[in-house]
Amino acid sequence: AIARVRAEHDVRVWPAPDPPPRPDLLAGAREADGLLCLLTDRIDTELLDASPGLRVVSNMAVGVDNIDLAACAARGIPVGNTPGVLTEATADLAFALLLAAARRLPEGIAAVRDGTWGPWDPAWLLGLELNGAVLGIVGKGRIGQAVARRAQAFGMEVIHTGRSDGGLPLTELLRRADVVSIHCPLTEQTRGLISTEAFALMKPSAILVNTARGPIVDQDALGEALRSGQIAAAALDVTDPEPLPPSDPLLGAPNLIVLPHLGSATRATRAKMAGLAADNLLAGLAGTPLPHAVSA
């Protein structure tokens, strides 16, 4: 993808594996006509004001909560994202987390490795049987629908939030679901959506899965819900912050799985994401409509 852009433009690439520190990002963007950024890069009024020549912002992600869309729109700067191509990979990972938490795989793996695996016991490490269980999907977009298809193949009953297609209020979904899977975007309305009050509505046997954005879940409340037995387990691919420090209190909670944001991490998906990000960037630099534009 970078080679495609280099064929037409002068390209400067941040060379380190970690995101550029804020001063370096501001300095690098100052003379840029186009910016291809990751979800770790905050594109706000400070950066836009410091980049008077910027004509397009291309985000290599579906979510754009790292970008001030209103500020970009006010300056006439189109913003692009990479929808669709990561749906199946992210849904696969969400369901992998669901299965791992439901069948208590981390505990089983640990028992084999630490020598606590004893004789066969009919009451040991009992988990949730998916056939007949209720999956509650919070946010029935592309990824939520893909997870629903997988769940139906396992014999689960699927319910979801929303006003269309028989969607339920969040409170009712939380009361009914054996597994709650988060797939809504991060907005001011969804920040902290899964809170102490939400956990109080869930079954003690319920499992929470989050592959959307970390701040949608109140992590302090989640840690307390796991420690108190308010819910049975949680499996996260996203946290707040990212990376989550090893000393974070959440990591001491029981029955918790945390992955380092691997939702779209397949070779095929990341290549497609890079391609779409390049498409958006090249279109913006050429002054033509972005193939995958995001509105404010």
Side-chain angles (χ1 to χ4, degrees), residues 14-20 38:
W14 177 249
D18 291 333
L38 306 183

Side-chain angles (χ1 to χ4, degrees), residues 115-142:
T116 57
W117 178 16
W120 188 84
D121 181 344
W124 188 51
L125 289 184
L126 301 183
L128 173 69
E129 185 166 331
L130 298 192
N131 183 48
V134 178
L135 172 63
I137 292 178
V138 180
K140 196 184 176 187
R142 290 186 180 95

Side-chain angles (χ1 to χ4, degrees), residues 254-282:
N255 305 324
L256 173 70
I257 301 170
V258 179
L259 296 182
H261 206 142
L262 299 177
S264 63
T266 70
R267 294 181 183 88
T269 292
R270 291 284 170 84
K272 291 173 185 175
M273 290 172 67
L276 291 190
D279 291 342
N280 286 326
L281 184 67
L282 289 169

Side-chain angles (χ1 to χ4, degrees), residues 7-220:
E8 300 182 33
H9 302 281
D10 176 28
V11 177
R12 301 175 189 176
V13 178
W14 177 249
D18 291 333
R22 186 67 176 177
D24 294 279
L25 178 61
L26 291 172
R30 185 169 295 123
E31 298 179 359
D33 298 294
L35 181 63
L36 196 161
C37 58
L38 306 183
L39 56 85
T40 48
D41 304 314
R42 191 172 79 255
I43 311 303
D44 54 12
T45 53
E46 180 189 30
L47 184 143
L48 296 172
D49 288 342
S51 311
L54 197 62
R55 289 186 279 148
V56 60
V57 174
S58 178
N59 204 39
M60 190 175 153
V62 174
V64 289
D65 45 280
N66 58 312
I67 300 173
D68 188 331
L69 297 178
C72 288
R75 292 161 174 78
I77 301 172
V79 176
N81 68 343
T82 61
V85 295
L86 52 71
T87 297
E88 301 301 329
T90 305
D92 282 349
L93 190 79
F95 214 80
L97 285 171
L98 190 164
L99 281 166
R103 296 305 304 270
R104 303 175 67 174
L105 299 190
E107 295 166 86
I109 292 168
V112 173
R113 292 182 178 277
D114 65 20
T116 57
W117 178 16
W120 188 84
D121 181 344
W124 188 51
L125 289 184
L126 301 183
L128 173 69
E129 185 166 331
L130 298 192
N131 183 48
V134 178
L135 172 63
I137 292 178
V138 180
K140 196 184 176 187
R142 290 186 180 95
I143 298 172
Q145 292 175 46
V147 172
R149 291 194 298 271
R150 287 157 175 77
Q152 287 162 347
F154 275 75
M156 299 186 78
E157 177 188 349
V158 178
I159 58 177
H160 62 89
T161 56
R163 299 176 182 175
S164 62
D165 301 329
L168 303 175
L170 178 62
T171 52
E172 183 177 350
L173 180 144
L174 293 172
R175 290 189 183 100
R176 288 183 54 189
D178 295 300
V179 180
V180 176
S181 192
I182 309 298
H183 301 288
C184 56
L186 176 62
T187 66
E188 287 309 307
Q189 290 70 41
T190 63
R191 186 178 295 274
L193 180 69
I194 307 301
S195 61
T196 298
E197 294 75 17
F199 290 121
L201 296 173
M202 294 171 65
K203 300 176 182 180
S205 57
I207 297 168
L208 177 73
V209 177
N210 186 14
T211 54
R213 286 290 187 267
I216 296 171
V217 175
D218 181 331
Q219 288 182 182
D220 291 337

Side-chain angles (χ1 to χ4, degrees), residues 232-245:
L236 314 176
D237 186 43
V238 288
T239 58
D240 182 25
E242 291 182 4
L244 193 66

